């Protein structure tokens, strides 16, 4: 019994040194400047997220030049030729410049979603706003992950 407890204790207390790598372990960055073109509301939200995610004390200074594009297309119509569903696509093409290392790289990310047309216009507009907000959050997460992985690769 003592040997079993001792063996179990050794197994539980020893480890191989393996550490899970998370995206938080990747390179930190500090945004020095962000220039945006395209849709101003979405650009503002993306800019805010990038700045909030940056580290104030990081040595990796970056400059971001971002072009944001929003397209709204008709997805479905019914028999009476009335629109029943729209598709919204947000895309952002960014040029990131590492100021300290004189390197730059390009990132292009896009997200899309559908929303239904309601009987009242205000409900349809609210659906569109909710979808745009959700897509903007997803797009910002994708951009931040891409920036971190590119900085980690360099």
């Amino acid at each position: 019994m003592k040997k079993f407890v001792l063996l179990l204790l050794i197994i539980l207390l020893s480890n191989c040194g393996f550490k899970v790598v998370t995206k938080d372990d990747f390179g930190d960055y500090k945004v020095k400047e962000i220039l945006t073109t395209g849709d101003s509301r979405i650009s503002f939200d993306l800019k805010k997220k990038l700045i909030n995610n940056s580290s104030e004390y990081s040595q990796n200074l970056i400059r971001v030049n971002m072009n944001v594009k929003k397209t709204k297309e008709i997805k479905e119509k019914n028999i009476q030729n009335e629109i029943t569903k729209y598709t919204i696509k947000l895309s952002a093409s960014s040029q990131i410049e590492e100021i300290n290392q004189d390197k730059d790289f390009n990132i292009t990310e896009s997200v899309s979603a559908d929303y239904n047309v309601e009987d009242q216009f205000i409900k349809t507009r609210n659906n569109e706003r909710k979808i745009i907000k959700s897509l903007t959050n997803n797009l910002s997460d994708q951009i931040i992950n891409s920036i971190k992985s590119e900085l980690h690769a360099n």
Side-chain angles (χ1 to χ4, degrees), residues 13-148:
L13 293 179
S14 66
N15 60 14
C16 64
F18 177 76
K19 182 181 174 190
V20 177
V21 177
T22 61
K23 296 217 185 261
D24 295 334
D25 295 337
F26 288 166
D28 290 337
Y29 62 91
K30 180 178 180 182
V31 177
K32 183 172 182 182
E33 180 181 14
I34 299 178
L35 302 171
T36 59
T37 57
D39 191 283
S40 60
R41 180 176 287 170
I42 297 169
S43 296
F44 177 77
D45 288 341
L46 290 175
K47 211 188 296 191
K48 192 169 56 171
K49 295 261 183 168
L50 281 173
I51 290 172
N52 285 341
N53 199 355
S54 68
S55 174
E56 187 175 329
Y57 304 108
S58 177
Q59 298 299 319
N60 289 337
L61 294 174
I62 63 171
R63 181 177 294 126
V64 181
N65 188 2
M66 186 181 312
N67 183 14
V68 179
K69 190 175 175 183
K70 176 180 85 169
T71 56
K72 178 179 169 182
E73 297 175 349
I74 299 169
K75 183 171 184 177
E76 290 181 6
K77 288 185 178 184
N78 62 11
I79 294 175
Q80 290 87 19
N81 206 23
E82 295 172 341
I83 300 168
T84 58
K85 204 177 265 191
Y86 283 105
T87 298
I88 289 193
K89 180 178 180 183
L90 301 182
S91 60
S93 57
S94 307
Q95 180 182 7
I96 313 318
E97 178 186 351
E98 293 182 66
I99 296 173
N100 296 345
Q101 298 180 2
D102 291 331
K103 294 180 183 177
D104 62 339
F105 52 91
N106 294 320
I107 295 173
T108 303
E109 299 288 345
S110 64
V111 291
S112 64
D114 302 333
Y115 69 95
N116 294 323
V117 175
E118 301 292 335
D119 293 334
Q120 297 175 342
F121 177 73
I122 192 71
K123 290 181 180 178
T124 303
R125 187 70 179 146
N126 286 338
N127 286 348
E128 181 180 0
R129 286 182 182 154
K130 287 177 188 175
I131 290 293
I132 289 174
K133 185 175 182 178
S134 173
L135 290 176
T136 303
N137 287 334
N138 292 344
L139 185 63
S140 67
D141 290 341
Q142 287 181 5
I143 291 171
I144 289 167
N145 289 338
S146 296
I147 289 173
K148 285 184 176 184

